Amino acid sequence: MHIYFHEKTKTFHLQNDTISYIMTVLPNGHMGQLYYGKRIHDREDFGYLLETAMRSHSAYIADDNTNYSLEHLRQEYPSYGSSDFRQGAIEVLQENGSRISDFVYEGYETCGGKPVLPGLPATYTEDDSEAETLRIFLKDPINGLELTLLYTIFNEGGVIARSACIKNTGEQNVHLLKALSVCLDLPDANYEMIQFSGSWARERYPEYRRLHTGIQSVGSMRGHSSHQQNPFIVLKRPETTEFMGEAMGLSLVYSGNFLAQVDVDTYNTTRVTMGIHPEWFDWKLEPGESFQTPEAVIVFSKDGLNGMSNTFHKLYRTRLARGVWRDRTRPILINNWEATYFDFNEEKLVKIASKAKECGVELFVLDDGWFGARRSDYAGLGDWVPAHELLPNGIKGLSEKIEALGMKFGLWIEPEMINPDSDLYRAHPEWILSVPERRASLSRHQWVLDFSRKDVVDHIHGMIAKILRESKISYIKWDMNRSITECYSKALPADRQGEVFHRYILGVYDLYERLTSEFPEILFESCAGGGARFDPGMLYYAPQAWTSDDTDAVERMKIQYGTSYCYPVSSMGSHVSAVPNHQVDRLTPLKTRADVAYFGTFGYELDLNKLSAEEQEEVKVYTQFMKDHRELIQHGTFYRLQSPFTCNEPAWMVVSPDKKEALVAYFRILSKVNEEFKRLRLAGLDPELCYSVDGKAVRYGDELMNAGLVTSNSTSGVTFPECEPAGDFKSELFYLKACE
Ligand code: GLA
C-alpha cells in the first residue's frame, strides 16, 4: 500500500495490491478524478486520462480555454453552478445569499493509520501499518471555508474510506445545505445498480436496474437508515456474477437520513454521491466551527459480488465493530418476545429460562414490557424502572435468579422513545421532537425524544446506567420502533432547525459511546422494529443487530441473503421461533429453522416448554451444533451460492480462514417430484486439499468447486444425506473437513 504524490503533475495515486485510486489537481485548482479500479502501474503523468473538449453550449471557466468546462470533468468534491450543472457534493449558503463556492487546492498531508472522526462511527486501524491516510486541503478564499478531503487506503482489499471536513475560517456565518461524504465520477455508465429495499419484515431485498440517463437514487428521510432502503449500493458490470467481474460497493457509516445517488449525464459519465440526505439539512457554521461528514466506505472487487462482500465482511467485522465482543463468538440466547409478548411475570420468565438452560442456551433476554406502566405498547416508554407487579425482585432480583441457573441475563430497552402515557412525558412534555402548537404524529402510540438535546440524553443515560450498574446484565437489545416526524427541537433557534436530524443521531451515538465505554463487557445488539437501523453506523457500537422481525425460516433466507451483500454473518441476529410462524403462519421443520438461524448469531424466540419432549431433544442437538461450529460460521468467509430470490434451492457456505473446514447450507423451498439431478458448485475451498464430506465421502476441493457437490441421489453411487423427497421447506447442511 502506498500513497504517491507526483509534484510536477500534482497527481495523487493511492495504490495497494488490489486497487488504484488516482486524482489530480485540475488547472483551476479543483480536484479531478482520474481512475478508480483494479491496481495499475504508477506513473508521473496520468494527464491523458483527463479528457476535455469544446462542446457547444457548455460554460467554461475562462475565455482562453473553451475546452475547460467543469460539466465535462470528473471531480472529487464538486459544487453546482460554476459551469458544472450536475448536482454537487457541497452547497454553502453565504450571507449575501450566494450558493456558489470554489474550493481550490492548497496542499496535502499523509499519515500512517487512520484518524478518528470525532463523535462519529468510522472504520479504524489498530496499527498504523494497516492503512495510510491522505488529507487534501482546499480553500475558498471568498467565503473563507477550508475543505479537507480525507482518504484512507487500507493495506488489504479494495477499500477506500472517504469523508470531508469543512471549517469556517472566515468572518461570516454560513449554512451548509449539503455536505456529502463521497463523490465518485466514473468515465462510463455501463453498470447495473443494486439497492437493498424493503419494508418491515422484508428488509434488504436486492433490486437491480440498468443505469439510465438521469438521476436514480435511494435514501431515507425517516430519521434512521430505515426498513425501506439501506445506506449501501452496488454498481456492477452487467456481466458481473457472484464470482466474476467488477463490482463496486458504496456504504455509508451512518444511521440517520441518507442519500445514495447515481447521476448519468448524456455523455454517459456516471456521478455517484452518498452522504447525509441534503433534504432538510441546513447546518449553520459560525466562524471557527467545523463540520465533519460521516464516512463512506467504497470497495472495489474484480472477483464479483462475493469478492466485494468478503471485503466488507472482514473490514466491518474486524475494523468497524469494536469492543470485547468483536472477536468473540456470540452467546446462544433465548428471547421471550414471541414466547410471551407483554404477558409475563417473574415466574413465567424463570420457567422459560430454566428449560432453555436445560437445552444448552447461554443467555436469557427479557424483551419489552418490564418497566413502568408498560403492560401494552400504549404506555411506559421513558420510565426505565422495573414494574414491581411483574418483577417483585426487580431486574436485579431476576438477573440474579437467571445467573443462579448458570445463564447470563440480557435486557431490552428503547431509550429514544416516550409514550404520551408516561411519567417522563408528564414531567417533560418539551422533551419530544415536535413543532410548537402543531399536532405531533404518533407511531406505535409513541413519540421520539429530542436526542439533539444533551439534557435529554443525560437523563436517559442516568436511568439506563443505574439499572446496568445495579443488576447483572450481560447483554442489551437497543430498539427504536418508529420513524421521526415533525422534526423540530424546542432547544434550538429557528436558524438551526435544519440540524436536528443530524444532531439527533449524534445524540444516539453519544449515548451508545457512554454506555459501551462504561460497560465494556456488555454485548449490545441494535434493533429498530427488526432491521430498520441495520447499518454500519450501528455496527460500530453494537457488533450485532436484529435482522428482521420476520422470524420465518423461508422469509429469513431472503432477508439474510440480501443483508449479506454488505454485512457479516456475525452481525445478523437470527432466532429459531415457533410454528405456525407468528408473521406468516407457515409451518417449517425445526431443523430448517435451525439451519437458517445458524448463519447469524443464533438463538431462540419461543417457549421451549411448549415443545414436545422429542423436539426438546432436537433443540439440545442444534444448540450443541452451533456451539461446535460458531467459530467457523461467525469468523469464516461467507459465500452466496444460489439465491432464494431466483431459485428453489438457495444455498450458501462458510469456509474457515485456513480453508480446512467448511459448512454448506442447502435449502429446498418447495418439494418437487421426479426432478432432475442437482449439483451445487462450492466456493472458497483449497483446490488441492481433500475434504471429507460429512465423514461419508472424500472429495478434492477442485472437484467440489468445479464438478460440484451432488445433492441428489445420483447414479454415480454417491449418496449424501437424503435431501430429496417429502415435504416443503427442507434443508441440509454439509460439513467439510480437510483430511489429514
Ligand atoms: C420491536 C422488535 C421486536 C420486539 C418488539 C418489542 O418490534 O423488533 O423484536 O423487541 O419491538 O416491542
Side-chain angles (χ1 to χ4, degrees):
M1 156 201 68
H2 194 65
I3 296 177
Y4 298 94
F5 177 64
H6 300 292
E7 182 64 56
K8 225 163 73 201
T9 54
K10 297 251 180 314
T11 300
F12 294 92
H13 184 176
L14 287 66
Q15 187 194 53
N16 68 14
D17 290 345
T18 313
I19 49 160
S20 285
Y21 190 105
I22 307 170
M23 55 198 152
T24 192
V25 180
L26 297 171
N28 71 328
H30 288 191
M31 288 305 300
Q33 159 66 220
L34 295 179
Y35 176 78
Y36 173 51
K38 188 170 169 357
R39 174 196 162 107
I40 55 176
H41 283 101
D42 186 47
R43 61 159 67 235
E44 168 86 31
D45 190 354
F46 282 103
Y48 71 94
L49 291 173
L50 193 71
E51 300 135 297
T52 58
M54 161 70 190
R55 294 191 194 271
S56 187
H57 280 76
S58 294
Y60 33 86
I61 301 251
D63 218 9
D64 59 358
N65 188 356
T66 51
N67 281 352
Y68 196 77
S69 167
L70 292 174
E71 179 182 2
H72 304 299
L73 284 167
R74 288 179 291 116
Q75 300 162 67
E76 285 297 304
Y77 206 71
S79 58
Y80 159 86
S82 274
S83 80
D84 192 348
F85 300 101
R86 295 166 292 181
Q87 295 189 357
I90 183 163
E91 190 175 322
V92 186
L93 176 62
Q94 296 139 72
E95 268 182 356
N96 65 1
S98 160
R99 297 179 187 203
I100 296 297
S101 48
D102 190 12
F103 289 99
V104 175
Y105 176 78
E106 295 245 296
Y108 78 99
E109 201 176 87
T110 60
C111 65
K114 188 167 186 293
V116 168
L117 305 184
L120 284 168
T123 56
Y124 59 89
T125 51
E126 288 201 327
D127 186 291
D128 281 355
S129 65
E130 292 175 7
E132 210 177 330
T133 297
L134 167 68
R135 284 187 175 91
I136 298 182
F137 305 112
L138 301 111
K139 185 157 186 173
D140 182 337
I142 307 292
N143 63 25
L145 294 192
E146 276 178 12
L147 167 67
T148 306
L149 302 180
L150 278 104
Y151 299 82
T152 299
I153 180 162
F154 283 81
N155 221 334
E156 245 187 79
V159 185
I160 304 261
R162 281 191 58 178
S163 67
C165 182
I166 299 112
K167 182 167 187 199
N168 186 353
T169 58
E171 280 159 15
Q172 54 167 307
N173 292 331
V174 298
H175 284 258
L176 290 177
L177 302 181
K178 187 192 249 185
L180 300 182
S181 301
V182 63
C183 170
L184 195 59
D185 280 354
L186 302 167
D188 70 82
N190 186 28
Y191 290 102
E192 268 175 4
M193 168 176 162
I194 316 177
Q195 64 195 55
F196 298 85
S197 306
S199 193
W200 174 79
R202 53 178 172 85
E203 295 91 339
R204 291 171 298 286
Y205 282 19
E207 283 183 24
Y208 294 69
R209 62 169 123 179
R210 266 311 284 256
L211 290 189
H212 291 292
T213 311
I215 289 175
Q216 37 251 288
S217 71
V218 292
S220 167
M221 286 290 292
R222 294 173 167 266
H224 54 111
S225 47
S226 86
H227 295 106
Q228 282 69 18
Q229 307 294 348
N230 196 260
F232 176 57
I233 57 167
V234 180
L235 293 190
K236 71 171 204 59
R237 295 297 187 185
E239 65 276 12
T240 298
T241 66
E242 282 289 0
F243 293 99
M244 279 181 312
E246 287 182 10
M248 228 179 263
L250 288 97
S251 164
L252 189 68
V253 187
Y254 191 59
S255 314
N257 288 352
F258 77 93
L259 176 69
Q261 179 169 295
V262 183
D263 181 358
V264 177
D265 70 9
T266 50
Y267 300 97
N268 273 340
T269 64
T270 301
R271 170 166 289 176
V272 195
T273 48
M274 197 175 211
I276 295 178
H277 205 307
E279 190 83 17
W280 275 57
F281 175 77
D282 175 349
W283 193 276
K284 184 176 176 188
L285 207 59
E286 294 185 8
E289 288 180 346
S290 295
F291 182 83
Q292 170 64 52
T293 74
E295 170 169 302
V297 174
I298 53 181
V299 166
F300 174 85
S301 157
K302 59 173 182 37
D303 302 317
L305 296 167
N306 268 313
M308 175 202 70
S309 300
N310 293 162
T311 305
F312 272 114
H313 293 175
K314 188 156 183 214
L315 182 73
Y316 283 0
R317 184 169 65 74
T318 63
R319 291 295 180 266
L320 176 65
R322 300 177 301 168
V324 299
W325 283 101
R326 184 188 75 180
D327 300 331
R328 289 188 194 161
T329 55
R330 305 299 157 69
I332 296 171
L333 65 82
I334 186 154
N335 176 303
N336 76 306
W337 179 242
E338 287 194 17
T340 66
Y341 296 103
F342 289 109
D343 180 19
F344 63 81
N345 55 29
E346 188 184 276
E347 193 192 342
K348 204 164 170 181
L349 297 175
V350 172
K351 213 170 142 216
I352 293 173
S354 307
K355 180 53 80 182
K357 169 69 190 166
E358 213 181 291
C359 295
V361 175
E362 298 159 319
L363 167 71
F364 172 81
V365 178
L366 172 55
D367 210 279
D368 196 357
W370 57 267
F371 48 90
R374 187 83 171 163
R375 296 304 79 77
S376 74
D377 54 14
Y378 280 87
L381 286 172
D383 301 338
W384 300 106
V385 281
H388 277 273
E389 65 266 39
L390 307 180
L391 306 170
N393 306 298
I395 289 296
K396 183 172 185 294
L398 176 63
S399 65
E400 284 165 5
K401 283 198 178 165
I402 300 294
E403 286 244 338
L405 292 174
M407 294 175 98
K408 295 289 178 194
F409 178 78
L411 194 62
W412 178 98
I413 56 173
E414 195 179 359
E416 299 152 67
M417 296 295 157
I418 184 165
N419 282 118
D421 182 2
S422 65
D423 293 341
L424 186 64
Y425 181 66
R426 285 181 280 274
H428 287 289
E430 76 287 7
W431 277 6
I432 66 165
L433 287 171
S434 69
V435 182
E437 293 170 47
R438 287 193 189 276
R439 168 185 60 75
S441 308
L442 285 157
S443 175
R444 211 193 184 203
H445 325 293
Q446 64 197 53
W447 285 314
V448 184
L449 281 169
D450 181 357
F451 261 45
S452 76
R453 294 173 67 142
K454 189 167 173 304
D455 53 349
V456 174
V457 176
D458 285 347
H459 176 86
I460 298 295
H461 170 258
M463 295 193 94
I464 304 285
K466 180 169 183 288
I467 300 163
L468 298 186
R469 275 183 216 124
E470 284 171 1
S471 315
K472 292 185 183 305
I473 294 178
S474 305
Y475 160 106
I476 283 288
K477 176 177 170 188
W478 178 324
D479 212 338
M480 195 277 185
N481 271 314
R482 63 158 290 180
S483 303
I484 295 176
T485 53
E486 292 91 18
C487 184
Y488 185 98
S489 170
K490 283 144 220 118
L492 285 171
D495 63 351
R496 286 194 178 272
Q497 291 300 327
E499 300 174 16
V500 180
F501 271 121
H502 183 56
R503 284 188 186 275
Y504 174 87
I505 207 71
L506 292 180
V508 172
Y509 291 152
D510 175 33
L511 184 57
Y512 256 115
E513 187 66 45
R514 291 196 228 176
L515 292 175
T516 50
S517 24
E518 189 177 344
F519 305 98
E521 281 292 328
I522 293 182
L523 169 62
F524 281 78
E525 176 159 340
S526 76
C527 174
R533 214 160 53 179
F534 202 119
D535 60 59
M538 283 292 122
L539 283 185
Y540 181 71
Y541 302 98
Q544 60 190 60
W546 183 225
T547 317
S548 176
D549 274 347
D550 194 336
T551 58
D552 172 70
V554 179
E555 298 280 295
R556 270 301 185 114
M557 285 175 206
K558 288 186 176 167
I559 296 167
Q560 291 173 208
Y561 197 92
T563 303
S564 81
Y565 280 88
C566 187
Y567 305 101
V569 170
S570 58
S571 67
M572 290 187 227
S574 51
H575 299 168
V576 172
S577 62
V579 289
N581 174 267
H582 292 195
Q583 291 79 40
V584 297
D585 210 29
R586 184 180 283 131
L587 293 163
T588 52
L590 189 51
K591 171 172 164 48
T592 306
R593 282 175 271 157
D595 285 352
V596 175
Y598 289 144
F599 293 84
T601 58
F602 195 75
Y604 296 91
E605 180 128 357
L606 74 171
D607 184 350
L608 295 171
N609 292 296
K610 296 193 172 148
L611 299 187
S612 68
E614 238 168 69
E615 288 172 320
Q616 289 175 4
E617 287 310 307
E618 258 187 77
V619 166
K620 287 181 194 166
V621 174
Y622 299 148
T623 308
Q624 189 56 46
F625 181 89
M626 187 59 183
K627 286 181 185 168
D628 294 343
H629 295 89
R630 62 184 154 187
E631 175 67 38
L632 165 64
I633 294 173
Q634 292 171 358
H635 296 162
T637 309
F638 179 85
Y639 294 93
R640 290 175 299 274
L641 301 177
Q642 297 185 165
S643 167
F645 294 96
T646 53
C647 160
N648 191 43
E649 293 88 15
W652 56 57
M653 69 186 288
V654 283
V655 182
S656 64
D658 65 3
K659 302 192 178 197
K660 293 203 166 145
E661 243 192 318
L663 187 67
V664 181
Y666 179 78
F667 306 100
R668 196 183 51 189
I669 298 173
L670 293 182
S671 184
K672 298 275 166 70
V673 67
N674 197 21
E675 268 204 289
E676 70 269 33
F677 296 132
K678 294 241 157 83
R679 292 182 186 187
L680 177 66
R681 286 165 68 160
L682 304 189
L685 302 173
D686 182 338
E688 303 301 327
L689 278 182
C690 252
Y691 294 89
S692 84
V693 183
D694 282 337
K696 291 189 182 150
V698 174
R699 301 281 180 266
Y700 277 106
D702 62 357
E703 286 177 80
L704 292 165
M705 292 192 289
N706 296 294
L709 179 78
V710 180
T711 58
S712 45
N713 289 336
S714 85
T715 46
S716 63
V718 182
T719 42
F720 284 112
E722 190 63 45
C723 53
E724 271 308 297
D728 298 334
F729 321 127
K730 287 294 169 65
S731 64
E732 201 57 68
L733 296 181
F734 300 93
Y735 176 66
L736 276 53
K737 181 121 183 79
C739 307
E740 288 308 323

